[in-house]
Amino acid sequence: MTKQTFLQGAIILIVAGMITRFMGFINRIVVARLMGEEGIGLYMMALPTLFLVMTLTQLGLPVAISKRVAEADAANDQAKVKKIVVISLMITFISSIVFTIVMAVGAPYIASTLLTDSRAMLPILAISPIIPITAIAAVLRGYFQGKQNMKPQSYAQVIEQLVRITCVAFFVNLLLPYGIEYAAAGAMISVIIGEFISLMYMIYTFKRKKTLRLRHRFFSYLKSSKNVVRELLSIALPSMGSRMIGSISNFLEPILVVQSLAIAGVASAVATKQYGELTGYVMPLLFLPTFITHSLAVALVPSIAEAEAKKNIALIHYRIHQSIRISFASGGISTVVLSIFAVQLLTYMYGTGDASHYLVLMAPFFLLHYIQSPLQAALQALDLAKPAMWNSLFGVALKSVVLVILASNPNFGIMGAAIGLCTGVVLVTLLHLTVLRKVIGYSIPFLDICKMIVLLAFTWLFGSFLKRIYETMEPHVILFLSVLVILGAIYIILLFALKFITKDELRQIPFFNKKK
């Protein structure tokens, strides 16, 4: 099986992430144009329920499988690798059947009572068969990650989006005459078909490599795998806990914000508008670089697990530092652009710059969010998933307290909610760093902290200079994009000058390696 280095695997995932995000954006445009606001509303109502059930079904196993397979592979223990896959498939198969039934039976109650729109029942029922598909796919994804082969899941992501885009228009148009809820169900069917085809590709890849014969002695492996179950769940359950904390926080957040703003005397319609600006305009821009940091996090787990199995502490430190350095590099330019050009970006994208003050406040703090995913992945890879979960819980608790206190104060209002979100980000990241320092003695080198400050400072100066030039000219989107391209080029030069990207790392990228 083809095995990639940490950086090669991360780059493959990053490229796949860019492609799928672009295709996902096209898919959203198609769905929105075909179904309108009401249809999109029903479609989006069903998705949070699906995501919650998928989180419960997978039990955090993909991360655990990746970690344990990488360890077993490093020890050349293929029998243990097989046990990990067999046990994981059995657990996810049982949980997926249970939760699919629960979701289907509970659909009327979820739609009518919790979502207050009985029409949401049909999309929920339509999407429920996807649960077993994603459960099996999660196991295979964790297996390939553990083998440090990121190509199968990357190709599968692209295939899934291609199939979904191809099918969505057909099914929505086919079912739209029966009602908007049927059209939303049609959109869900296209999602299921996309996931199913991508799963078939991963199964084909798995069988073609012929590294494991799952049918051979299947049940004997089940009987002798108590230790493997314990090892998997020691990571899986805390990982699921972290995701559940995030899901519950996302569920409670709008309730806390709206109620706090009501205490501050903000009218309901105004509160909805302000929260929409914060979560609909600002947050997507702040989360823009996260597909890079998430890719690094996925590739980091098996890489650190392998290094830990070989007792190579120096390599563990290097991998963590490498992921932080690259995450910071990807987030640094985003932070500067969002801070300096907040009004212009929001105006060109949404037609209004009203939310720019939220963006200017939050962008610097979200620099810590960009290194948070790799830090959490490092903790999970080092069997520290439980401390990572507690860190997430403390972050959510502090965020909620600060949010309620400040947002209910008329002097802060919705800005208090923004401060609360930033507080949670800062605390979780610092707690992750504290745990790593305590357990393995890792800390970000002081010299590199200085380099980070210099990088941001020079980029900020160049950005401010380009903004002054831009403001003397006739505003135009092409001119604005040109300014961003120039600033991006300057930023890349600074990255190499300050050695945020090294020649050795460039040589790991096939394109640059061929040029040598």
Side-chain angles (χ1 to χ4, degrees):
M1 179 177 289
T2 306
K3 183 176 180 179
Q4 296 102 35
T5 64
F6 161 67
L7 197 58
Q8 288 171 339
I11 290 168
I12 290 168
L13 291 170
I14 288 168
V15 172
M18 288 176 64
I19 295 170
T20 52
R21 281 214 172 189
F22 176 71
M23 290 194 294
F25 180 67
I26 294 173
N27 183 66
R28 283 194 295 273
I29 293 174
V30 172
V31 171
R33 288 186 177 275
L34 290 173
M35 297 198 302
E37 294 176 354
E38 196 175 6
I40 285 290
L42 291 174
Y43 179 78
M44 295 304 293
M45 277 182 177
L47 287 183
T49 303
L50 171 67
F51 294 151
L52 180 62
V53 172
M54 284 169 59
T55 299
L56 292 169
T57 301
Q58 294 175 18
L59 296 169
L61 279 171
V63 173
I65 296 167
S66 175
K67 152 82 171 166
R68 298 308 182 195
V69 166
E71 288 176 341
D73 207 41
N76 199 27
D77 188 349
Q78 296 307 308
K80 187 172 182 179
V81 172
K82 181 173 180 177
K83 285 183 181 181
I84 291 167
V85 175
V86 168
I87 288 297
S88 301
L89 284 172
M90 184 57 66
I91 292 172
T92 53
F93 176 76
I94 294 171
S95 64
S96 65
I97 296 300
V98 170
F99 282 111
T100 300
I101 294 170
V102 169
M103 187 170 170
V105 172
Y109 173 78
I110 294 169
S112 301
T113 307
L114 299 181
L115 300 178
T116 67
D117 192 332
S118 59
R119 295 177 301 172
M121 182 184 74
L122 199 57
I124 292 173
L125 287 173
I127 198 64
S128 57
I130 203 173
I131 296 169
I133 297 172
T134 56
I136 297 170
V139 173
L140 294 179
R141 196 165 61 245
Y143 167 77
F144 285 122
Q145 288 170 7
K147 288 286 188 176
Q148 297 183 58
N149 180 13
M150 306 302 167
K151 289 182 179 180
Q153 76 171 83
S154 299
Y155 294 153
Q157 286 175 14
V158 176
I159 290 169
E160 187 270 327
Q161 284 290 345
L162 278 172
V163 174
R164 187 192 298 192
I165 291 172
T166 304
C167 294
V168 69
F170 171 76
F171 283 105
V172 171
N173 281 320
L174 181 69
L175 297 174
L176 187 57
Y178 299 97
I180 201 71
E181 64 270 35
Y182 286 88
M188 294 301 188
I189 292 170
S190 70
V191 175
I192 293 173
I193 295 173
E195 287 285 355
F196 180 74
I197 298 299
S198 70
L199 172 62
M200 289 299 100
Y201 168 76
M202 283 206 287
I203 291 174
Y204 165 75
T205 305
F206 182 83
K207 292 179 70 174
R208 185 167 59 88
K209 299 298 180 181
K210 293 182 180 178
T211 52
L212 293 177
R213 293 172 58 197
L214 292 183
R215 286 175 293 182
H216 180 63
R217 295 175 60 198
F218 185 92
F219 291 101
S220 64
Y221 274 103
L222 287 178
K223 293 177 183 177
S224 61
S225 298
K226 288 183 180 179
N227 289 335
V228 173
V229 173
R230 196 178 300 114
E231 288 178 3
L232 284 171
L233 294 183
S234 69
I235 298 174
L237 293 180
S239 298
M240 185 187 74
S242 295
R243 291 187 65 182
M244 287 297 296
I245 289 167
S247 298
I248 294 169
S249 173
N250 291 336
F251 172 74
L252 292 176
E253 187 180 292
I255 298 172
L256 293 175
V257 171
V258 172
Q259 294 296 331
S260 299
L261 290 176
I263 294 171
V266 179
S268 177
V270 175
T272 302
K273 177 178 178 294
Q274 291 179 342
Y275 186 70
E277 288 176 344
L278 179 62
T279 58
Y281 294 174
V282 173
M283 297 305 290
L285 288 173
L286 291 170
F287 285 130
L288 203 57
T290 55
F291 75 92
I292 296 175
T293 60
H294 174 71
S295 300
L296 287 165
V298 169
L300 191 62
V301 171
S303 181
I304 288 182
E306 181 183 44
E308 186 191 27
K310 295 178 179 179
K311 311 295 183 186
N312 193 340
I313 301 299
L315 182 58
I316 292 172
H317 280 230
Y318 176 72
R319 286 288 178 242
I320 295 173
H321 183 60
Q322 188 179 31
S323 63
I324 289 175
R325 181 161 39 83
I326 297 172
S327 296
F328 187 90
S330 66
I333 184 65
S334 174
T335 298
V336 172
V337 169
L338 294 178
S339 299
I340 296 177
F341 297 102
V343 174
Q344 289 81 5
L345 276 169
L346 290 167
T347 303
Y348 282 124
M349 292 183 70
Y350 305 115
T352 175
D354 290 347
S356 59
H357 48 294
Y358 310 137
L359 200 52
V360 172
L361 168 73
M362 299 176 74
F365 292 101
F366 265 70
L367 260 175
L368 291 176
H369 179 77
Y370 303 139
I371 68 172
Q372 193 179 111
S373 289
L375 291 175
Q376 179 147 331
L379 291 173
Q380 291 168 340
L382 293 167
D383 271 335
L384 298 169
K386 192 177 290 184
M389 181 189 72
W390 284 112
N391 293 346
S392 299
L393 182 60
F394 292 144
V396 167
L398 182 65
K399 177 192 78 172
S400 301
V401 170
V402 173
L403 187 154
V404 170
I405 292 173
L406 295 183
S408 58
N409 186 326
N411 295 322
F412 287 94
I414 190 67
M415 190 62 81
I419 295 171
L421 293 172
C422 294
T423 304
V425 166
V426 172
L427 180 64
V428 174
T429 304
L430 292 180
L431 286 175
H432 285 351
L433 282 168
T434 301
V435 173
L436 286 172
R437 183 181 179 86
K438 182 179 178 181
V439 177
I440 63 169
Y442 175 79
S443 60
I444 302 174
F446 178 73
L447 178 61
D448 277 28
I449 293 175
C450 294
K451 285 183 179 182
M452 291 174 181
I453 295 170
V454 170
L455 175 67
L456 291 176
F458 274 94
T459 309
W460 181 279
L461 289 173
F462 282 116
S464 300
F465 174 71
L466 291 171
K467 183 183 179 182
R468 286 195 294 272
I469 295 174
Y470 171 78
E471 287 175 339
T472 62
M473 300 180 182
E474 187 71 25
H476 194 278
V477 65
I478 301 299
L479 177 62
F480 178 64
L481 291 174
S482 301
V483 168
L484 295 185
V485 169
I486 294 170
L487 182 60
I490 293 170
Y491 186 77
I492 291 171
I493 293 170
L494 288 171
L495 286 179
F496 283 105
L498 294 168
K499 295 185 178 179
F500 272 86
I501 300 174
T502 64
K503 290 181 180 178
D504 180 60
E505 288 166 344
L506 275 181
R507 280 193 288 268
Q508 293 182 46
I509 303 173
F511 175 80
F512 290 99
N513 196 29
K514 287 177 183 177
K515 295 288 183 183
K516 292 292 181 183

